[in-house]
Amino acid sequence: RRVHGGIDVVCRCCVWSRAVSAMRVLKTTIITADLNSHEWMCLIASVCTFIALCLSTYQIFKHLRHFNQPQFQLYICRIVLMIPIYSVQSLLSLLFPDAAVVFGTLRDCYEAYVLYIFTQLLIQYLGGEPNIVLHLELQKRLRHPWPMGDLLKPINLNRTFFRRIKQGTLQFVLIKPVTAVIALILEAYNLYGEGELAFDKGYPYLSFINNISVSISLYCLILFYTATEERLQPFRPVAKFLCVKAIIFFSFWQSCALAVLVQIGFFADDETGGFSAESRATIMQNFIICVEMVMASIAHSFAFSYNDFIDKENLKKRGPIITNLKTILNVRDVLQDAHETFIRPANVEIPLQDRQKAPEEEKDTLLRAE
């Protein structure tokens, strides 16, 4: 133990000295360099992206290291993976503004995917679909949140309500990739016009569709949380919901706000750098996201902490990290659930043992790997 402790101290000292040396070199480079505004933004965004990657990657690694409750951590890791994807895609869009639409496609698709994954996490917290339906059927009718409560009748909480909630959340996962692909096609023919509120461009129409879709998805999440609020309290759902909603909500409305600023002339063409007003707005949007991801990674480390899953008594009974990572990256469960949600008849009930089959198969895989 003393030898390992000494080695650890020496390694820490070496890493710290290298970090200090690197910071000195970086400081000298920045002072002596003649950087324009775009290069400064790229430099700051690169630092923010590196910090966000370190924090989020460490968080995912610790979850994989203590993968004791796969039914929860499977979805938590997929949600935290949103930070690296957003950071890297925004930085690439900032470095290569001409390809911002292409780089933003993956980011937009994963945004919709995370919203669905968060819904699945809440379902797992509540014990699975059969238990949720049983709980809902014992509750009284649910009143819509304000201001919709004055316009719509109260909702009957039953199996149909739960199915509609899943459909309302999952539709965003299907619509967002379609609109992203359409944006790529329109961009190839110079018909997309990102940030331009022009009727002869595809940007305002696709933004309107995405806005309606994400609003429906978020509203379904709010209804689901309101109906199951008491049972979700032990899992601190508010902090988790705010972390997910903040990234999706702010990233979308920031782009809309910047598009409005372009139309009122806040952004002007940069003849020196060769950027149009729309390109400058897109650059600003990606720069803001890179900075926000640092704060988001810190918030995620508290809201989705791995400390809740550490089992000190069974530290040796852990599956390989690579096997756990493959489980997280496998989206077969998402495709199966989409098929059941939209194609399966509404009156067909899934037996409890079938719903528990997937987690049991994951556990058997981990045991065989050990």
Side-chain angles (χ1 to χ4, degrees), residues 18-277:
R18 291 296 181 89
V20 172
S21 301
M23 291 300 294
R24 289 176 179 173
V25 174
L26 179 62
K27 179 181 178 181
T28 304
T29 304
I30 292 175
I31 293 176
T32 57
D34 183 16
L35 303 178
N36 56 36
S37 59
H38 179 250
E39 291 172 342
W40 274 107
M41 294 173 69
C42 292
L43 179 61
I44 297 173
S46 299
V47 175
C48 292
T49 300
F50 177 76
I51 296 174
L53 283 175
C54 290
L55 294 176
S56 57
T57 303
Y58 176 78
Q59 181 78 355
I60 295 174
F61 171 78
K62 296 300 287 186
H63 272 290
L64 296 177
R65 187 68 173 171
H66 303 281
F67 207 62
N68 298 313
Q69 299 184 45
Q71 69 275 22
F72 301 143
Q73 292 174 282
L74 169 67
Y75 302 107
I76 289 176
C77 289
R78 288 174 176 176
I79 293 174
V80 178
L81 193 61
M82 184 182 191
I83 304 296
I85 291 178
Y86 259 60
S87 300
V88 173
Q89 294 297 323
S90 299
L91 180 61
L92 291 175
S93 300
L94 189 61
L95 295 174
F96 308 99
D98 294 336
V101 176
V102 178
F103 292 129
T105 301
L106 177 60
R107 183 181 66 196
D108 294 339
C109 294
Y110 203 83
E111 169 188 305
Y113 177 66
V114 164
L115 203 57
Y116 163 76
I117 289 300
F118 181 72
T119 306
Q120 290 298 110
L121 177 62
L122 296 182
I123 292 174
Q124 292 300 319
Y125 279 151
L126 295 170
E129 294 187 11
N131 292 329
I132 295 175
V133 173
L134 179 61
H135 170 74
L136 293 175
E137 292 176 346
L138 297 177
Q139 304 299 313
K140 60 181 181 179
R141 300 177 73 185
L142 177 67
R143 180 179 173 84
H144 284 270
W146 183 87
M148 304 303 295
D150 299 330
L151 304 175
L152 302 176
K153 297 180 180 180
I155 311 172
N156 292 321
L157 300 182
N158 48 31
R159 182 177 300 278
T160 303
F161 165 78
F162 180 71
R163 182 180 175 87
R164 294 291 180 263
I165 290 297
K166 290 190 64 179
Q167 289 176 343
T169 306
L170 193 57
Q171 54 83 25
F172 185 51
V173 184
L174 303 177
I175 292 177
K176 189 67 174 183
V178 173
T179 56
V181 172
I182 294 176
L184 287 176
I185 296 174
L186 293 177
E187 180 68 16
Y189 292 95
N190 197 25
L191 295 175
Y192 180 58
E194 184 174 6
E196 299 182 27
L197 299 179
F199 292 105
D200 58 343
K201 300 293 183 180
Y203 174 79
Y205 303 104
L206 294 180
S207 297
F208 177 78
I209 295 173
N210 289 330
N211 185 26
I212 297 298
S213 180
V214 71
S215 298
I216 293 174
S217 186
L218 288 175
Y219 188 72
C220 288
L221 265 181
I222 294 174
L223 288 178
F224 182 66
Y225 170 75
T226 305
T228 59
E229 182 177 2
E230 294 182 0
R231 293 188 61 186
L232 285 172
Q233 287 302 324
F235 303 101
R236 307 189 304 274
V238 177
K240 295 178 172 61
F241 179 74
L242 290 178
C243 285
V244 174
K245 183 179 178 180
I247 296 178
I248 297 175
F249 183 83
F250 285 118
S251 63
F252 176 77
W253 285 107
Q254 280 171 182
S255 62
C256 294
L258 290 172
V260 173
L261 291 177
V262 170
Q263 295 302 314
I264 64 177
F266 183 84
F267 289 98
D269 295 339
D270 184 7
E271 298 179 358
T272 304
F275 299 115
S276 63

